[in-house]
Amino acid sequence: MNKFYETNMIRNVSISGAPSSGKTTLAEAMLYNSGQIQTIGSVDKGTSIMDYDEEEILKKITIHTSLAHFEWKGNKINILDTPGIPDLVCEMKSSMQVTETNIFVISGIDGINIDSEKNWHIADDLKLSRIVFINKIDDENVKIDEIIESIYNKFKKKAIPIYYPVGVGSKFNGLVDIIKMKTIYNDNKISDIDPNLLDKIKNYRDKLLDAIVETDDNLMEKYLNGEELTEEEITKALKKEILNNKIVLVSFGSALKNSGVNNLLDIIVNYMPSPANFPEIEGKYNDKKIVKKQSSNDTFSGFIFKTRIDPYAGRISYCRIYSGKIKVGDEILNVNKNVKEKIQHIYTMIGKNFKDLDTAYAGDIIVFTKIDSFDTFDTLSDAN
């Protein structure tokens, strides 16, 4: 029997970014660090577990959204690695809509370009919480503060680092935790902040605190009285502002060198929303309003957000479960077609590899195969 995760222990995360920003390499590093894969695949060498289609390998770009999952500190994280090229914006948007969090990957070399802007506005339209991961920090030409400033100038969002790099290029050797006010080096050694960096870190910490106390009178009073906010108070306030799309957290690293990736994973589980943060979802059936609870205790409902034809597996239907649970042998209704289907298999995926599930629960992302009535944008429900 597969492991059960409560809805609040699931994180659904889409990864977007301009071509060559390094988002697929980042996905590979996340899977490797979690223990889900044994080696980090390479886009350039054609060994990526996420970009496995022949055309993707040939062109060295993501063409199809790939699904993978892993566990991090007791939470299940589903990741959807989406295409970055403008011609595939519909593929990207249909996948992003079933996630609560978007990791927006920016190349530290290229900064924000027109493709990045399009991706950002899609996430805005979908009201997704966001993490900006500034990648390729190991390049000598990265201009950290300019990129952070450009996020606000272009998107009018409070982009606040929660980690800040110690050095860039060949001198990049760790990150400062702006909440804990400690430096975490690449060899996992923890120490006090370099005095030469301290004023800049304090400035960013002040910006973070200013942002989170604005909407909380009790915190504001404590802050203005010069009292130190506890880590618990900061975390709680940050999560609220992230959920309301008032703050975008920024972190840094090098996906290729697998630096800063664990810090990013910690941000996902510590600060980003789960499906449980959106307790109800509304729909219509025969012009009647339907409200479902994003809980395994409600009846089953799901949404097919992607369909793909595989030469071996046949028709693959990617489904986000919004309520209830589904198990092998259940009969469910395709609401759009008014067709009932008996479920013979349920899978999760890691790239192109299928993993059998006997039961899946609210908040999760799963895959069905060889069900011809399922099309993209179909709604599923329990048979009754």
Side-chain angles (χ1 to χ4, degrees):
M1 185 174 181
N2 51 280
K3 184 173 180 178
F4 168 67
Y5 294 88
E6 294 284 357
T7 307
N8 66 342
M9 301 298 283
I10 295 173
R11 302 291 186 277
N12 295 312
V13 180
S14 51
I15 306 176
S16 66
S20 301
S21 60
K23 59 182 182 53
T24 299
T25 303
L26 176 62
E28 295 277 335
M30 294 165 79
L31 289 165
Y32 175 77
N33 289 4
S34 69
Q36 187 64 277
I37 59 176
Q38 300 306 306
T39 56
I40 298 178
S42 167
V43 174
D44 288 338
K45 294 178 181 178
T47 58
S48 166
I49 198 167
M50 301 300 279
D51 284 354
Y52 55 84
D53 180 86
E54 288 184 9
E55 191 175 2
E56 290 177 318
I57 293 171
L58 179 65
K59 294 183 177 180
K60 297 180 173 55
I61 58 171
T62 301
I63 297 173
H64 306 283
T65 296
S66 288
L67 167 66
H69 73 279
F70 54 88
E71 184 175 289
W72 189 257
K73 297 186 176 178
N75 297 266
K76 181 178 184 181
I77 301 178
N78 293 311
I79 56 172
L80 292 169
D81 179 26
T82 68
I85 57 177
D87 292 348
L88 299 172
V89 65
C90 292
E91 168 88 1
M92 177 178 63
K93 188 172 183 178
S94 67
S95 300
M96 288 171 66
Q97 69 179 317
V98 299
T99 64
E100 292 80 34
T101 296
N102 175 244
I103 298 176
F104 187 74
V105 183
I106 297 176
S107 165
I109 304 167
D110 302 326
I112 298 171
N113 57 29
I114 190 166
D115 293 330
S116 303
E117 291 187 46
K118 289 177 180 177
N119 294 347
W120 183 279
H121 292 310
I122 289 170
D124 258 351
D125 292 342
L126 295 170
K127 297 181 172 59
L128 298 182
S129 298
R130 253 153 293 176
I131 307 167
V132 172
F133 183 76
I134 299 178
N135 193 24
K136 305 185 181 182
I137 201 72
D138 52 321
D139 189 273
E140 303 293 340
N141 298 312
V142 174
K143 295 180 179 178
I144 300 167
D145 301 300
E146 286 185 18
I147 294 177
I148 297 171
E149 187 68 23
S150 70
I151 296 170
Y152 178 78
N153 291 337
K154 285 185 178 291
F155 306 130
K156 305 306 176 188
K157 288 279 188 182
K158 292 177 182 175
I160 302 175
I162 191 167
Y163 293 102
Y164 192 88
V166 179
V168 296
S170 59
K171 295 180 180 178
F172 170 57
N173 66 345
L175 295 169
V176 174
D177 185 326
I178 290 178
I179 292 180
K180 296 181 184 295
M181 292 296 283
K182 290 289 183 181
T183 299
I184 308 165
Y185 289 100
N186 290 340
D187 61 3
N188 293 321
K189 178 185 175 184
I190 297 175
S191 73
D192 293 333
I193 300 168
D194 185 331
N196 295 322
L197 199 56
L198 191 57
D199 285 345
K200 180 173 286 189
I201 297 301
K202 284 182 176 178
N203 179 51
Y204 276 122
R205 181 180 169 84
D206 287 343
K207 287 182 178 181
L208 186 150
L209 295 178
D210 287 344
I212 64 173
V213 301
E214 282 181 0
T215 56
D216 190 310
D217 291 340
N218 292 330
L219 288 185
M220 176 68 81
E221 183 179 358
K222 187 175 181 179
Y223 184 56
L224 292 177
N225 288 335
E227 297 179 53
E228 192 72 26
L229 301 186
T230 67
E231 188 176 328
E232 183 180 356
E233 288 173 327
I234 294 171
T235 299
K236 183 179 178 180
L238 254 183
K239 290 171 75 171
K240 178 182 175 183
E241 294 302 284
I242 291 166
L243 186 63
N244 292 329
N245 270 310
K246 299 290 182 64
I247 290 178
V248 173
L249 293 184
V250 180
S251 194
F252 300 81
S254 168
L256 190 62
K257 293 188 176 179
N258 197 5
S259 296
V261 178
N262 285 357
N263 308 84
L264 176 63
L265 293 172
D266 286 343
I267 294 172
I268 293 171
V269 299
N270 291 335
Y271 299 102
M272 307 315 288
S274 75
N277 288 110
F278 306 88
E280 293 184 343
I281 184 165
E282 294 184 4
K284 283 187 177 181
Y285 182 61
N286 291 336
D287 294 325
K288 180 182 177 182
K289 180 180 175 181
I290 302 291
V291 178
K292 307 290 285 186
K293 293 182 179 179
Q294 290 212 68
S295 162
S296 298
N297 296 322
D298 204 337
T299 53
F300 171 76
S301 66
F303 177 72
I304 303 295
F305 65 91
K306 173 180 168 63
T307 307
R308 187 173 181 184
I309 305 300
D310 183 87
Y312 303 104
R315 191 179 195 84
I316 304 174
S317 304
Y318 294 73
C319 176
R320 162 68 192 269
I321 304 175
Y322 281 99
S323 65
K325 62 183 178 181
I326 183 171
K327 62 182 184 294
V328 172
D330 281 354
E331 187 176 62
I332 62 173
L333 175 69
N334 182 333
V335 176
N336 298 68
K337 310 288 196 319
N338 197 28
V339 172
K340 292 183 179 180
E341 299 282 3
K342 187 171 183 178
I343 301 303
Q344 305 293 340
H345 298 280
I346 303 171
Y347 301 101
T348 185
M349 296 190 77
I350 304 170
K352 67 178 179 180
N353 301 316
F354 293 87
K355 180 181 178 182
D356 279 287
L357 300 175
D358 48 63
T359 309
Y361 302 88
D364 214 346
I365 297 175
I366 59 173
V367 167
F368 302 112
T369 59
K370 300 178 181 177
I371 302 180
D372 291 338
S373 77
F374 288 178
D375 288 316
T376 304
F377 306 135
D378 279 352
T379 296
L380 311 178
S381 77
D382 68 287
N384 299 316

